[in-house]
């Protein structure tokens, strides 16, 4: 949390405050509740603190991926994208906020449920599950669009290379405005790598949480600690440190000028 806060201030990346910093703050609270719960295992309060916070907290971190991708496609080229760069942020951040609010409401209901009325706790759990499923669905759509973007970029790269090797100078070739793009810079490649890794880690974590909540608070999955440590805790830690090491603000600042494409020189 301190690391992400320092990087956000250093690079003046204020959009990281309600995304990465908020997510790490929530994780800190969640794991603090888990530590408290280990000393007082029969106390419901720390149990629900760690349940609610560790479920909800990574949601803003997904928002950082959406914003980063929108900025990356501006560097690579907007013509390969199905959506405008701003639409990626607006649409998927809206989905992220909706998922966050639904999970928060469900967590609040589950945490405030009296022991004499377990059905209220199940209701809260089901609401949290719907928020997780909605988040997983939006992340899946994002992955499909991102994969399609990079596939179209790669296909266009191959066509450009083939056209340049042909060396034609026909009027049809000139009219088609063939463009040869410069290769991706190291910074852009690192940004893409960071997006892919962070998405993979958080996708694995979302699948686990969906199965866990569907199994219920008394299910085998939620009672098996190694599943939580590996498929939730470790995945979130890897995503957070990947975002810090392959920091989008730092890498974007390092890109002085990225021309994107240059016209094919014809004899």
């Amino acid at each position: 949390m301190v690391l992400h806060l320092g990087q956000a201030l250093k690079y003046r990346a204020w959009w990281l405050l309600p995304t990465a910093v908020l997510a790490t703050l929530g994780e800190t609270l969640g794991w603090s509740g888990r530590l408290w719960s280990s000393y007082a295992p029969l106390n419901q309060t720390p149990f629900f603190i760690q349940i609610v916070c560790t479920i909800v907290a990574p949601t803003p971190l997904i928002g950082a991926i959406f914003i980063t991708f929108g900025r990356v496609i501006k560097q690579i080229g907007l013509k390969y994208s199905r959506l405008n760069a701003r639409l990626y942020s607006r649409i998927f951040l809206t989905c992220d906020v909706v998922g966050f609010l639904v999970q928060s409401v469900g967590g609040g209901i589950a945490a405030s449920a009296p022991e004499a009325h377990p059905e209220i706790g199940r209701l809260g759990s089901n609401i949290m599950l719907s928020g997780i499923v909605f988040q997983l669905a939006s992340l899946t759509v994002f992955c499909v669009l991102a994969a399609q973007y990079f596939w179209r970029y790669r296909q266009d790269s191959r066509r450009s290379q083939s056209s340049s090797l042909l060396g034609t100078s026909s009027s049809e070739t000139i009219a088609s405005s063939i463009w040869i793009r410069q290769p991706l810079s190291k910074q852009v490649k690192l940004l893409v790598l960071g997006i892919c890794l962070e998405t993979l880690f958080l996708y694995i974590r979302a699948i686990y949480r969906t199965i866990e909540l569907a199994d219920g608070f008394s299910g085998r999955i939620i009672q098996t600690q190694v599943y939580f440590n590996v498929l939730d805790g470790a995945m979130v830690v890897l995503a957070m440190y990947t975002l810090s090491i392959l920091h989008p603000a730092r890498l974007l600042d390092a890109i002085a000028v990225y021309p994107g494409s240059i016209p094919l020189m014809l004899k």
Side-chain angles (χ1 to χ4, degrees):
M1 182 184 68
V2 173
L3 180 61
H4 276 293
L5 178 61
Q7 288 177 312
L9 296 176
K10 178 181 178 180
Y11 299 112
R12 297 181 180 274
W14 310 123
W15 56 274
L16 286 170
L17 296 178
T19 54
V21 176
L22 179 61
T24 50
L25 174 61
E27 283 289 316
T28 302
L29 293 175
W31 283 88
S32 296
R34 191 168 179 82
L35 177 63
W36 178 12
S37 190
S38 70
Y39 287 102
L42 299 182
N43 192 332
Q44 290 277 6
T45 300
F47 172 75
F48 279 110
I49 288 176
Q50 65 102 3
I51 283 290
V52 173
C53 288
T54 56
I55 288 177
V56 175
T59 303
L61 195 61
I62 298 176
I65 297 175
F66 298 152
I67 296 174
T68 303
F69 182 74
R71 301 193 176 195
V72 166
I73 65 175
K74 289 181 180 179
Q75 299 294 330
I76 299 178
L78 294 173
K79 68 176 183 176
Y80 309 110
S81 176
R82 292 289 185 186
L83 301 176
N84 182 278
R86 288 186 177 180
L87 283 179
Y88 273 104
S89 298
R90 290 177 181 177
I91 293 175
F92 289 106
L93 281 177
T94 299
C95 293
D96 207 41
V97 171
V98 170
F100 179 83
L101 293 176
V102 171
Q103 292 175 62
S104 299
V105 170
I109 293 174
S112 60
E115 295 184 21
H117 297 280
E119 67 278 2
I120 298 178
R122 286 194 294 270
L123 173 64
S125 174
N126 290 334
I127 293 175
M128 281 195 292
L129 175 60
S130 65
I132 286 283
V133 170
F134 179 78
Q135 182 187 92
L136 182 61
S138 64
L139 189 57
T140 300
V141 173
F142 170 77
C143 290
V144 170
L145 290 174
Q148 186 182 52
Y149 176 87
F150 290 119
W151 182 82
R152 294 177 69 184
Y153 171 84
R154 184 171 180 81
Q155 291 298 108
D156 185 62
S157 176
R158 289 175 176 175
R159 284 195 298 268
S160 297
Q161 291 173 4
S162 299
S163 300
S164 64
L165 290 175
L166 289 175
T168 58
S169 58
S170 65
S171 59
E172 182 180 355
T173 303
I174 296 174
S176 63
S177 300
I178 300 174
W179 293 79
I180 298 177
R181 290 166 289 97
Q182 292 184 354
L184 295 181
S185 66
K186 179 182 178 181
Q187 289 81 6
V188 173
K189 289 180 179 179
L190 290 175
L191 280 169
V192 173
L193 175 63
I195 290 173
C196 293
L197 290 176
E198 292 155 27
T199 303
L200 174 63
F201 296 143
L202 293 179
Y203 199 85
I204 292 173
R205 179 256 172 197
I207 292 175
Y208 160 72
R209 280 300 197 177
T210 300
I211 298 173
E212 178 199 51
L213 287 177
D215 195 39
F217 282 161
S218 59
R220 172 176 170 268
I221 296 176
I222 202 172
Q223 296 180 15
T224 307
Q225 183 170 234
V226 66
Y227 295 159
F228 175 79
N229 289 342
V230 174
L231 298 175
D232 185 283
M235 294 299 106
V236 174
V237 167
L238 288 172
M240 287 180 172
Y241 277 96
T242 299
L243 180 64
S244 178
I245 295 170
L246 303 176
H247 201 272
R250 174 177 60 82
L251 292 173
L252 287 169
D253 286 347
I255 304 172
V257 177
Y258 184 76
S261 60
I262 58 175
L264 175 65
M265 304 302 293
L266 301 174
K267 295 182 180 179

